[in-house]
Amino acid sequence: MATPSGARGTARPATHDPQPASGKAPLVLSGATVVLPTGTVKDGRVIIDGPRIAGSAPENARLIDVSGYTLVPGFVDIHNHGGGGASFTSGTADDVVRGIHTHRLHGTTTLVASTVTGDMDSLVQRAGLLSELAEQGDIAGIHFEGPFISPCRKGAHSEELLRDPDPAEVRKLIDAARGKAKMVTLATELPGGIDSVRLLTEHGVIAAIGHTDATYEQTVEAIDAGATVATHLFNAMPPLGHRTPGPIAALLEDERITVELINDGTHLHPAALQLAFHHAGADRVAFITDAMDAAGFGDGFYSLGPMAVEVKDGVARLVEGGSIAGSTLTLDRAFRRAVTVDRLSVEDAVAALSANPARLLGMYDSIGSLEPGKYADLLLLDHQFALKGVMRRGEWVVDPQLA
C-alpha cells in the first residue's frame, strides 16, 4: 500500500536531470521524422547547442543518426496533481520534485502543479512552497483547482471545504503565489464567480470553467468576462442536452476557449474525444493528465487532499462514494493512445500536447515546438510511438543510448 508523505517542507535548490546530451559539444540528431509547426519532415534533423535548438550546426557538432525514429517537442501538462507516489498538494518540496521527475521520465518537460480543495490557510502555505519551485524552474506555475467549485459537481473534492469564489479570497491565493499562479478553476455560476473571472483576467491568470453546474447562458457570460479554459471538458459538469445544452456546448463553440481532455480511456469515450476535436478544432485542445500520486507508481491507497483514494487496475476512485479521483495517466500514454486508438494525426496530437498548452501559458516563444532559439525540449519515439528518449533543456532525462 502506497502512502505518500503528507508533511510539508520548504523548497530547496533546483535539481537538474542527469546525463548531459553530449558534454559541451553541440549535437545534430539526424535522419528522423521531425514534427514541425509547418508540417512533418522526413529525414530531418534537429541541432542542439547548449540548452537550446540551433539554426545551423557548429563545426564541432557531433552527428547522431536517429533514422527510423520520430522527433516531437516535449509535452506540456497544464493540469497535474502529482506522480511517483508524491502529491503536489501535500508533499514536501522533495516529494514534489520527485513527482515532477516522474512525469519528465514520461515526456512531460514542462508542468504546471495543480492543487486540490483545502482550507485557505493550507492553500496559501502550499502556494508559497510551489512558487519557490516555480522560481527555481522546476515547474511552470501553479493551478488552483478548488475550493471555488460547485458542490453539485465536486468530484473528488471535499464538500465541507468548498466555498463561493469571493474575489478577495481568490486574490489572496494569487498574492500567495507571488506571480506564479497560472490558472484557477472556478464554478463561475456561484456568487462572486464572474467578478473573480474578471479579477483573474486583470492579473494575467487563466480563469478556467470547471466543476460547474452552470447553464449554457451562465457559461457564455463567464467566457465574455474573460474565462479561456474548460477544465477537463465533459467531466464534472452537466451533460450535453438538446434543450438544456449546458456548459459543454458553450465551451465547444467559442473560439476563445481551450478545452482540456483526459485521454486515458476512462474519463472519456472515444466518441466524446472526437466530438471535441471536431467542434473545437485541433488548435483548441490541450491533453492533460489530471494525474494524482499514483501516476507512474502503481495501485494502492493514496490521499488526494483530505480524500482517501484507492487505485485499482490503474483507475483512481474515492474510497467513499467511488467517484473518479484524477487519473494515473502520463502524457506519453495520452499521445500514443491519440495516434493509435483515436487515429488522430501525429501533428494534431503534438498540437494538443505541446503547442497549444505552451501558447496558453504564454510560453510558446521558448517551448512547444522544435524551432531554432527555443529550448531543446524534445522526445524520441520509435515506429510504434513508444517513448525512447527524453531531452530537457539540452540534457537527456531518458538517454536513448544512441551511438
Side-chain angles (χ1 to χ4, degrees):
M1 179 176 73
T3 54
S5 170
R8 293 182 176 85
T10 56
R12 55 173 180 71
T15 58
H16 298 285
D17 294 300
Q19 310 264 358
S22 59
K24 294 183 179 180
L27 279 181
V28 179
L29 302 179
S30 179
T33 298
V34 182
V35 182
L36 300 172
T38 53
T40 297
V41 176
K42 302 290 186 181
D43 193 23
R45 67 177 190 169
V46 176
I47 304 162
I48 299 104
D49 192 355
R52 296 186 181 270
I53 298 171
S56 60
E59 290 184 2
N60 64 332
R62 182 162 68 96
L63 182 68
I64 298 180
D65 184 8
V66 288
S67 300
Y69 292 93
T70 297
L71 282 171
V72 302
F75 300 144
V76 181
D77 194 354
I78 60 173
H79 187 154
N80 187 317
H81 297 278
S87 169
F88 297 157
T89 295
S90 59
T92 66
D94 284 343
D95 292 333
V96 174
V97 170
R98 184 173 77 252
I100 294 163
H101 184 70
T102 296
H103 285 282
R104 286 183 186 171
L105 295 175
H106 292 276
T108 298
T109 52
T110 301
L111 180 148
V112 174
S114 303
T115 64
V116 297
T117 293
D119 64 77
M120 288 299 295
D121 288 342
S122 296
L123 288 172
V124 166
Q125 183 179 5
R126 177 58 26 172
L129 183 147
L130 293 176
S131 65
E132 289 186 44
L133 292 172
E135 289 161 2
Q136 294 169 177
D138 290 307
I139 59 175
I142 307 166
H143 163 219
F144 297 100
E145 186 182 25
F148 311 116
I149 60 176
S150 172
C152 301
R153 304 286 174 177
K154 65 182 184 298
H157 291 254
S158 175
E159 184 168 354
E160 58 266 26
L161 295 175
L162 300 182
R163 58 187 64 213
D164 291 338
D166 180 346
E169 293 199 323
V170 174
R171 177 63 186 269
K172 187 176 181 180
L173 289 185
I174 296 173
D175 290 344
R178 302 199 304 264
K180 299 303 180 180
K182 287 292 185 180
M183 183 162 65
V184 177
T185 292
L186 307 162
T188 54
E189 76 278 8
L190 296 176
I194 297 301
D195 286 340
S196 292
V197 169
R198 294 193 180 104
L199 172 72
L200 291 167
T201 302
E202 289 169 1
H203 285 81
V205 179
I206 297 164
I209 300 171
H211 287 275
T212 177
D213 204 41
T215 64
Y216 174 89
E217 292 76 14
Q218 288 171 326
T219 306
V220 169
E221 182 184 10
I223 296 169
D224 287 341
T228 56
V229 166
T231 294
H232 42 55
L233 186 75
F234 300 109
N235 299 115
M237 59 183 63
L240 184 66
H242 65 291
R243 291 194 180 94
T244 54
I248 293 172
L251 294 164
L252 281 176
E253 72 184 10
D254 199 299
E255 294 182 355
R256 294 171 288 183
I257 293 292
T258 296
V259 297
E260 295 182 349
L261 297 177
I262 308 171
N263 192 26
D264 61 354
T266 299
H267 282 78
L268 296 175
H269 189 282
L273 182 139
Q274 292 292 342
L275 178 71
F277 265 88
H278 177 74
H279 286 280
D283 62 342
R284 287 179 46 216
V285 173
F287 283 143
I288 61 166
T289 61
D290 194 17
M292 46 83 69
D293 310 15
F297 201 63
D299 289 356
F301 289 88
Y302 297 82
S303 296
L304 187 61
M307 311 295 282
V309 176
E310 181 180 12
V311 177
K312 185 176 181 180
D313 297 327
V315 178
R317 294 185 180 276
L318 292 181
V319 171
E320 184 176 344
S323 176
I324 293 177
S327 85
T328 62
L329 186 63
T330 53
L331 285 185
D332 58 334
R333 286 171 45 210
F335 178 89
R336 194 173 184 186
R337 180 180 176 85
V339 297
T340 61
V341 176
D342 302 308
R343 301 298 179 186
L344 297 180
S345 70
V346 171
E347 293 84 356
D348 284 353
V350 166
L353 284 156
S354 302
N356 298 344
R359 287 194 185 95
L360 189 68
L361 295 175
M363 299 177 68
Y364 191 65
D365 60 338
S366 59
I367 61 170
S369 66
L370 301 179
E371 296 178 273
K374 294 192 176 184
Y375 282 120
D377 293 355
L378 57 85
L379 312 177
L380 195 66
L381 310 172
D382 68 13
H383 68 286
Q384 295 181 319
F385 302 106
L387 189 66
K388 295 300 180 183
V390 178
M391 179 180 285
R392 184 177 187 272
R393 306 299 195 261
E395 297 184 357
W396 290 116
V397 180
V398 176
D399 192 337
Q401 299 295 323
L402 300 168

